[in-house]
Amino acid sequence: MVKTLLLQGLAILAVAAIAGLLGGAVAAWSALIGGAAYVVPNLLFVLRLRCAVAARETGAVGFMIGEAVKLFAVIVLLLILPRLMEVNWLALIAGLFTVLLANLFALLLKT
């Protein structure tokens, strides 16, 4: 799980650098926001899951509730953050998609 989060972080930084070169500072920050809107709730979910495993309180219901809360947090962040600052929507979506694709690459690297 930690490797996946690191891969997601590196992917966000790469996309933000490319967006910054192509579209300037607003595009770079937008790519970071798009990626962070998924990574931050994902990090909190991983921490919660590790605590549950350590306390031996794991279960399918707890996992599904945690996943639902994570997805709700992603949606809320994607709705709130663009209202707080100017964003480049193409870069924001590119950052978000890159993080989502990093999950697939993490699965490929694991096998």
Side-chain angles (χ1 to χ4, degrees):
M1 287 186 227
V2 175
K3 289 181 184 178
T4 303
L5 289 171
L6 290 174
L7 182 63
Q8 289 175 341
L10 291 173
I12 292 171
L13 292 176
V15 168
I18 293 169
L21 290 173
L22 296 176
V26 171
W29 281 109
S30 298
L32 284 172
I33 286 172
Y38 187 82
V39 170
V40 170
N42 200 24
L43 174 66
L44 296 174
F45 177 69
V46 167
L47 291 174
R48 186 209 163 280
L49 190 60
R50 283 190 169 223
C51 290
V53 168
R56 299 181 190 260
E57 296 176 359
T58 58
V61 174
F63 181 84
M64 296 303 285
I65 290 171
E67 188 67 26
V69 169
K70 181 182 85 169
L71 292 175
F72 180 74
V74 170
I75 292 168
V76 168
L77 286 172
L78 287 173
L79 290 173
I80 291 174
L81 290 174
R83 294 170 196 239
L84 298 177
M85 63 178 288
E86 178 185 356
V87 296
N88 179 323
W89 282 100
L90 181 61
L92 188 138
I93 298 298
L96 179 63
F97 282 163
T98 300
V99 170
L100 294 172
L101 289 174
N103 286 337
L104 294 176
F105 287 122
L107 287 173
L108 291 174
L109 293 175
K110 188 173 183 175
T111 57

